[in-house]
Amino acid sequence: MKATFAALLLAGASATVFAQASPAGLWKTIDDETKQEKSLVRITDNAGVLTGKIEKLTDPAKQDATCDKCSDARKDQKILGMTIIEGVKKAAGEDYWDGGTILDPNNGKVYKVRMTPADGGKKLDVRGYIGAPLLGRTQTWIRVE
């Protein structure tokens, strides 16, 4: 009986750790230049496909900012509430998610994206790139929930 209880407890703990290793959740983004918190992005998993929306902008002056540099359907839309990550899926047999895109609302450009959980799921390395992952830059986001 004790062995069964211990096994169930261990299995539950393992499931929690695995769930935390997914990019799904609320993430704090950090500005590359100032190293200050920039926004909160909520990444959701819908049948294995991840999307991410800006849930909060930390700069009070940017609450009504629009994506004036966007060239797609998001042109002149409010950045707050905007979907910036689309179509990301777990790479088969790998520890990262990719195959989708990420929008940088500052310049309106859309990049391919690769997301890799780090530090036991407490951090997320988000790499935006053109062509191959080698040609891009990585931001580390911090899990809020």
Side-chain angles (χ1 to χ4, degrees):
M1 183 75 152
K2 286 181 185 177
T4 303
F5 179 72
L8 287 173
L9 188 61
L10 185 60
S14 297
T16 301
V17 169
F18 179 75
Q20 292 299 308
S22 164
L26 186 63
W27 298 93
K28 181 186 333 182
T29 69
I30 309 296
D31 187 276
D32 290 336
E33 295 170 11
T34 66
K35 305 300 181 208
Q36 299 297 311
E37 179 181 339
K38 191 173 178 179
S39 66
L40 294 179
V41 174
R42 175 146 334 253
I43 298 176
T44 55
D45 185 332
N46 184 12
V49 180
L50 303 179
T51 58
K53 267 188 183 179
I54 297 178
E55 207 167 87
K56 178 183 177 185
L57 296 171
T58 56
D59 185 345
K62 295 190 177 182
Q63 297 306 306
D64 292 323
T66 59
C67 193
D68 56 343
K69 295 181 181 173
C70 288
S71 59
D72 59 11
R74 295 172 279 203
K75 173 113 177 107
D76 296 325
Q77 299 298 311
K78 286 186 75 166
I79 293 173
L80 185 60
M82 181 176 284
T83 298
I84 61 166
I85 299 170
E86 297 179 309
V88 179
K89 298 176 184 174
K90 180 139 179 31
E94 301 293 341
D95 63 347
Y96 58 83
W97 282 251
D98 69 358
T101 59
I102 187 166
L103 166 74
D104 182 345
N106 291 326
N107 62 22
K109 293 183 181 178
V110 176
Y111 302 94
K112 292 180 181 179
V113 66
R114 175 173 287 176
M115 298 186 294
T116 307
D119 196 14
K122 295 177 188 170
K123 295 181 179 178
L124 183 66
D125 291 333
V126 180
R127 183 159 189 85
Y129 62 94
I130 298 171
L134 226 71
L135 307 171
R137 70 181 170 111
T138 301
Q139 283 187 340
T140 299
W141 295 1
I142 300 166
R143 186 182 291 279
V144 176
E145 62 180 53

